[in-house]
Amino acid sequence: MQKIFALVGLLLLAGCSTTETIHTDSQCIGAMTTQEAYGHLNPNHFTVQVLALKEERQADVKQYIHGIQGQDPIWVNWKRSQGYNWYAVIYGDFETKDQAKMMIEQLPADVRQQGPFIRSFADVQADKQTDVFRLR
């Protein structure tokens, strides 16, 4: 039950409706499994994890999502680990690590201060314990 409230809270936080999975103003695409979100992506491609937060700071997720410009997809992963609810924001689908690194350099300063890092989609796809919200 706690997991459901957390998922609904994140949807609302992101500006998504819980009764409608697509909301064009906030570009919410909705909730999905790891397989639905990432299964179709090339595991040899890369993404940038821009943020990971415990649930106590989940309001910060909205600030970071709105601070990231561009058309690349943004996903918010939710999982329970080490007794905490964690939210990880990942951004983009890049063919090479160099492309992902260039994107990190273009992120707003406050996002770069959080220490974004590059992950392969193979790594992201391997984590089956997450629930995903795709934004954009």
Side-chain angles (χ1 to χ4, degrees):
M1 191 60 139
Q2 181 181 13
K3 186 175 180 179
I4 292 170
F5 288 129
L7 294 174
V8 170
L10 187 56
L11 273 173
L12 294 173
L13 179 66
C16 301
S17 168
T18 57
T19 59
E20 182 181 327
T21 57
I22 297 176
H23 189 276
T24 56
D25 291 341
S26 64
Q27 299 178 342
C28 177
I29 296 174
M32 57 192 75
T33 65
T34 301
Q35 177 62 31
E36 291 168 337
Y38 310 118
H40 67 286
L41 296 170
N42 185 332
N44 297 316
H45 282 195
F46 300 90
T47 190
V48 175
Q49 182 166 320
V50 295
L51 188 66
L53 300 171
K54 290 183 199 176
E55 67 183 317
E56 294 87 28
R57 295 182 52 210
Q58 66 180 300
D60 291 339
V61 171
K62 186 174 182 178
Q63 173 188 346
Y64 282 92
I65 290 170
H66 291 294
I68 299 172
Q69 302 300 312
Q71 297 302 313
D72 289 304
I74 297 175
W75 296 273
V76 180
N77 298 336
W78 179 91
K79 73 186 281 182
R80 184 126 179 109
S81 177
Q82 300 174 1
Y84 295 100
N85 295 327
W86 287 90
Y87 299 88
V89 178
I90 64 173
Y91 173 64
D93 177 3
F94 307 101
E95 288 185 35
T96 68
K97 280 188 177 181
D98 286 338
Q99 289 174 337
K101 185 178 179 180
M102 286 177 21
M103 183 52 65
I104 289 173
E105 293 169 3
Q106 296 174 14
L107 291 170
D110 61 332
V111 176
R112 287 193 317 269
Q113 288 176 346
Q114 296 298 317
F117 61 93
I118 299 168
R119 294 179 67 187
S120 72
F121 272 110
D123 178 45
V124 174
Q125 291 165 340
D127 191 353
K128 304 291 186 200
Q129 300 302 313
T130 62
D131 291 303
V132 182
F133 295 91
R134 180 169 174 193
L135 306 160
R136 289 211 297 234

